[in-house]
Amino acid sequence: MVSSSHEALHRIFQQDPGLFARAARHLGVAFPPPVSTVELSTDLTETQPLERRVDTLLQMNTEDGSFLLAVESQGRPAPDKPASWAYYLSYVYAKYRIPPVLLVVCADRGTAEWAARQVDIGPRQWCSLSLRPLVLGPDDVPVIDSPDDAARDIPLTVLSAALHRRDPGADAILNALAKALKGLSADDENTATTFIELTEQGLGATQAAELWRHLMAVDLSFFQSQTAQQLRAEGRAKDLLLLLGHRGVEVSEEDRERIVGCGDPDVLGLWFSNALTATSTAEVFASEGEAGPDAG
């Protein structure tokens, strides 16, 4: 399970390494598509106590040769980061003897502009090393709001949704992506689940994330995977808490934990029906075999 929007912005390249070549075209840089890839260890730690880790490191093997792709997900400007990036590139080049490329993915326009600056390392008289990251930000990846376009490249659409999550076009991207995922066959459910998770995490704590949870609960209800069921349960739990709040029913912390922790959409649906007329959480939880919140 992806743990954060930071993770989604680089792990999407693990899921589909060929996405790098397709996305880089929007930066005006032509990389050949990989014919094979090797996922390498992200641990760049030396024998010293200082630990250094790149977010994602892939060996991209193409018809024109091989290169290393180091992907960094950057949430905000960090003055010390260029020095770390220069270290990463130098380290992996020394270790693998394969030319490296640094890709920085930023969902924030200001951060993308900051990350794209060339950093020259050395005294003013002589630059010994220049850091030139490739940067993908909201202005570098198109808004994919057509279901047909989304179906043709679902990983790029996931990246588009993550990078445009705060933009007015986010809703259209998510609707197009939901329709594209719905078109996958039953045999592709595991693939769809992966992209559902990456999208969910890539959206972070934004209004677009709320829409995505709603779309997953409604449009993809045919998916029976654990992730799909969890998304539906999360949506129903939130709806139940909102209803209880509007009706003035007091909800203790223990009751809230019980509702949020319930992963069964059917049970949550029953509780929601009870909440339409209930005056207490004991009445909400009451059902066949239950006498109140602490029963069975």
Side-chain angles (χ1 to χ4, degrees):
M1 183 73 177
V2 184
S3 61
S4 68
S5 58
H6 172 99
E7 292 275 313
L9 288 178
H10 69 87
R11 286 193 59 184
I12 185 67
F13 293 93
Q14 296 177 18
Q15 179 64 27
D16 181 6
L19 173 62
F20 168 67
R22 302 195 300 276
R25 295 191 198 116
H26 299 287
L27 301 173
V29 184
F31 282 92
V35 293
S36 66
T37 62
V38 179
E39 189 169 339
L40 304 175
S41 172
T42 62
D43 190 348
L44 308 183
T45 307
E46 295 179 313
T47 55
Q48 306 170 20
L50 182 63
E51 182 178 290
R52 299 180 186 268
R53 289 182 184 272
V54 66
D55 286 338
T56 284
L57 184 62
L58 300 170
Q59 178 177 324
M60 311 286 274
N61 304 316
T62 77
E63 293 181 350
D64 293 339
S66 300
F67 65 93
L68 299 179
L69 178 64
V71 185
E72 282 280 283
S73 173
Q74 192 67 24
R76 61 183 181 274
D80 295 337
K81 205 63 178 180
S84 296
W85 291 339
Y87 171 88
Y88 296 164
L89 295 178
S90 299
Y91 181 94
V92 297
Y93 184 58
K95 180 176 182 178
Y96 296 105
R97 298 295 178 180
I98 299 174
V101 174
L102 172 64
L103 175 67
V104 183
V105 189
C106 310
D108 174 72
R109 285 179 170 81
T111 303
E113 182 179 357
W114 164 83
R117 295 177 301 175
Q118 177 174 317
V119 177
D120 295 327
I121 300 174
R124 63 179 179 81
Q125 294 89 346
W126 189 263
C127 172
S128 298
L129 182 67
S130 289
L131 178 70
R132 297 174 61 214
L134 282 173
V135 178
L136 285 173
D139 294 331
D140 304 304
V141 174
V143 171
I144 301 176
D145 53 10
S146 160
D148 290 339
D149 290 342
R152 276 190 287 270
D153 199 335
I154 288 177
L156 185 61
T157 308
V158 173
L159 182 62
S160 176
L163 294 182
H164 292 281
R165 62 194 182 197
R166 294 186 178 90
D167 293 348
D171 290 4
I173 299 173
L174 295 178
N175 277 289
L177 179 57
K179 290 182 173 65
L181 289 172
K182 194 171 184 178
L184 294 177
S185 67
D187 295 336
D188 291 326
E189 183 175 344
N190 288 337
T191 300
T193 296
T194 298
F195 291 132
I196 289 171
E197 291 179 352
L198 283 168
T199 304
E200 166 81 6
Q201 297 300 327
L203 295 173
T206 62
Q207 290 184 344
E210 297 298 323
L211 172 62
W212 183 244
R213 280 189 283 270
H214 174 75
L215 289 172
M216 293 305 94
V218 177
D219 288 356
L220 296 186
S221 58
F222 56 88
F223 278 132
Q224 296 302 314
S225 67
Q226 181 178 355
T227 299
Q229 291 186 35
Q230 180 182 349
L231 288 169
R232 291 196 291 275
E234 288 176 0
R236 291 188 180 183
K238 182 173 182 179
D239 290 343
L240 174 55
L241 290 171
L242 285 174
L243 174 62
L244 292 172
H246 285 312
R247 298 198 65 249
V249 176
E250 183 177 349
V251 179
S252 68
E253 188 60 33
E254 182 181 356
D255 292 337
R256 182 178 296 275
E257 290 179 1
R258 182 177 184 183
I259 291 170
V260 173
C262 179
D264 190 330
D266 292 334
V267 171
L268 287 165
L270 174 62
W271 291 347
F272 188 89
S273 297
N274 292 344
L276 294 172
T277 57
T279 57
S280 68
T281 53
E283 295 177 14
V284 171
F285 296 133
S287 62
E288 251 187 22
E290 285 189 326
D294 297 321

